[in-house]
Amino acid sequence: MIGSFFQLLVKEQFVALFLCLGIGHLLARVKIGNFALNTTAATLLVALILSGLVSETTGLNFTIPDMVQTTSLTLFLYAVGLRVGPQFIAGLRQEGFHLVVLALITATLNFILVLGGSKLFNLAPGFAPGMISGGYNITAAMGVATQAVNNGTYHPPPGITAAQVTANIAAGYSLTYIFSLLGIVFLMTNLLQWFGFDPVKTAKESAKKFGGSGKPLPGTSAAFNVALTTPAAVRVFQLTNKKFIGQPALAVLEQLDTPVLRVTRNDLVIDLKQNPVLETGDLLTIGGMREKLIGENETIGPEVADEDARRLDLDQAEIVITKPAFAGKTLEDFHHSLPAYGIRVRALFRSTVELPLLPGTKLQKHDVLRVIGPAESVRRATEALGQAVRPTDATQIVTLSLGAVVGYLIGLIAVPIAGIPIGLGTPAAVIIAGITVATVRAMNPKFGGPVPEATRSFLENIGLDSFVAGLGLNVAPALIGALSNGRSVLLVVVVGMVGAMAPPFITWLIGLYIFRMDPILLAGAVAGARSSTTAMKALQDETRSSVPAFGYPVPYALSAVVVLIYGYLAMVLSG
């Protein structure tokens, strides 16, 4: 019965592919302590086990078509380009020379150590890019190396088949992945203490450098923990105080630091666009923190129980800062400005990375403010800051398709130099196409129509996981042979771990003693340069702070691109 089921899977390989995806994602939910495989590694593991069982019990092998592999990997790479594009460009242009250098040092040292170690110990072709991919936990590097073999860019030496090379890539990745994941988390959660820094105390001092104690602005929701923000309240007062009669509505904000969200006069709602003059008996709908509203019946007039006046048409939007007026100003400056009146800033994103809402956090061009408030208030803030991008479930397929096509075609171009074809290659070209589209959209949010983050994330996840599922199903028989050599297995683990752990430690030393960077910012940068979100989260837990997020995005984005290039080169330069 089991044999018949396995034969069905080999015949109907669609079933096998998606069975691996489903079981892999279920396996990724299993945690042992704080350790869990990510969905990609779990899917690869399931595919390898299933393929090995089928091969051993029936003698049959899977042959997932190259078209499926190419399509999956292309979708993934393009989606990655869309994700890291603004971060990558911002890092090269304005986020800091040190952050870029740290990312390049980490990736380059990893490449040198792994490739050099592979050649020193005469490891078989394919192990080096697999170790780079596993050591960085960037499965896509394994993908581009596999593509170099499949499309003929790399020619295996005599006596070794392409299937054996791709199996070695998978073996190098699998053997290095788990150890490097545990190792980088251990390193990042202990580096600060090893060098004499108290993680929590130092993080609080670092937060002050950004202009605050780490608490969110009054009237806002903290980016990482909305529950920390005191709930806002809405109350209605009847205007009797002569101090405000005959004054514009904005005078209430200027004097009481609480905005008028609605004016009701004789059961009619007065348009706030023109900042109307207030009259005796107007019902003023006031919003703000509860403690600020306690005494407003004395400064405005008696509170009234008018449910209609309390009812507000709320709007929410993500406002892309494209106008120069607020670039360089802090969140505190913005909070006390007229464009901010009536809205709550729920989150701040820079190049798709959520930043802490500290009073001293400076706004930059192309930052995104996620806001909520009355429709008129959101409109006013949008006019002052830039352009609003509304939540949507629609996706612009035209830009998505043409961007991937153009990138893929450019990747096919190669110029012979000394008999060696030199070109970007399709993986690098596709990710650059995604970076270009994302960067242009960051400058002009209306470019190319929407690609919701949920859609982009789905393409990234399904693309990569489908690729590794197909890869695992195809290479398992050859992988068994690759792992049968105990000496090679031991050397791969040693070389892979040296390549994975030495570079971030050296990068930390350079950042601390040569660049003299803030230790908390540096720790986030090292986690980003090592492309480890898991280590980043562990670091934030260790420091009880979100300040490391300031150093994380640029190195993370840069490493996502550079490691792909090094994975490709490691395969091409293999013996």
Side-chain angles (χ1 to χ4, degrees), residues 24 45 63 165 226 230 248 284 308 358 375 382 401 445:
L45 178 62
T63 54
V165 175
V226 177
T230 305
L284 306 187
D308 288 337
L358 302 178
T382 301
S401 302

Side-chain angles (χ1 to χ4, degrees), residues 12-191:
E12 303 295 342
Q13 300 193 49
F14 170 88
V15 177
L17 188 69
F18 278 84
L19 185 64
C20 292
L21 283 172
I23 297 177
H25 279 244
L26 283 175
L27 179 61
R29 299 178 183 178
V30 178
K31 287 188 176 182
I32 302 176
N34 292 324
F35 175 77
L37 292 172
N38 64 26
T39 57
T40 303
T43 299
L44 176 61
L45 178 62
V46 170
L48 290 172
I49 293 174
L50 177 60
S51 181
L53 288 174
V54 169
S55 178
E56 291 296 314
T57 56
T58 67
L60 301 174
N61 295 323
F62 290 97
T63 54
I64 304 299
D66 289 342
M67 179 63 181
V68 174
Q69 299 292 83
T70 299
T71 301
S72 299
L73 188 62
T74 300
L75 287 174
F76 164 74
L77 292 172
Y78 188 73
V80 168
L82 292 177
R83 171 167 57 85
V84 307
Q87 298 168 260
F88 183 77
I89 298 301
L92 295 178
R93 185 180 58 203
Q94 64 184 5
E95 284 288 354
F97 172 76
H98 292 163
L99 296 178
V100 174
V101 171
L102 292 179
L104 292 176
I105 289 174
T106 306
T108 302
L109 285 176
N110 173 266
F111 173 74
I112 292 173
L113 289 172
V114 170
L115 185 61
S118 297
K119 291 185 176 294
L120 177 65
F121 295 110
N122 198 29
L123 292 175
F127 280 120
M131 286 186 286
I132 290 175
S133 180
Y136 256 87
N137 307 143
I138 297 180
T139 316
M142 177 176 67
V144 298
T146 302
Q147 286 293 90
V149 177
N150 293 340
N151 63 23
T153 302
Y154 172 79
H155 300 283
I160 299 180
T161 65
Q164 289 174 320
V165 175
T166 54
N168 291 342
I169 296 173
Y173 171 85
S174 302
L175 291 170
T176 310
Y177 173 84
I178 294 178
F179 294 109
S180 66
L181 178 61
L182 294 173
I184 191 61
V185 171
F186 174 79
L187 180 67
M188 295 313 304
T189 52
N190 287 279
L191 264 181

Side-chain angles (χ1 to χ4, degrees), residues 239 244 246-256 258-263 265 270-279 282 284 286 338 341 380:
L239 179 59
F244 293 111
Q247 296 292 318
L250 291 184
V252 178
L253 171 67
E254 294 169 348
Q255 298 185 42
L256 302 181
T258 52
V260 175
L261 305 179
R262 176 173 173 173
V263 176
R265 183 176 299 158
I270 305 300
D271 192 350
L272 289 176
K273 290 183 180 180
Q274 304 303 323
N275 192 19
V277 173
L278 302 177
E279 297 181 2
D282 284 349
L284 306 187
I286 308 294
L338 293 182
Y341 119 130
R380 186 187 305 107

Side-chain angles (χ1 to χ4, degrees), residues 215-261:
K215 295 181 180 179
L217 281 172
T220 67
S221 297
F224 292 90
N225 190 351
V226 177
L228 291 178
T229 301
T230 305
V234 176
R235 299 173 71 178
V236 180
F237 301 94
Q238 187 172 39
L239 179 59
T240 59
N241 192 333
K242 295 180 180 180
K243 178 180 179 180
F244 293 111
I245 296 173
Q247 296 292 318
L250 291 184
V252 178
L253 171 67
E254 294 169 348
Q255 298 185 42
L256 302 181
D257 196 27
T258 52
V260 175
L261 305 179

Side-chain angles (χ1 to χ4, degrees), residues 376-435:
E376 174 58 24
S377 299
V378 173
R379 183 201 62 78
R380 186 187 305 107
T382 301
E383 286 185 353
L385 294 173
Q387 300 186 47
V389 179
R390 305 289 177 176
T392 177
D393 294 326
T395 300
Q396 177 55 270
I397 300 297
V398 174
T399 305
L400 181 66
S401 302
L402 293 183
V405 167
V406 171
Y408 192 91
L409 291 176
I410 292 175
L412 297 176
I413 300 173
V415 179
I417 299 177
I420 302 175
I422 303 297
L424 283 173
T426 54
V430 168
I431 198 172
I432 289 174
I435 288 173

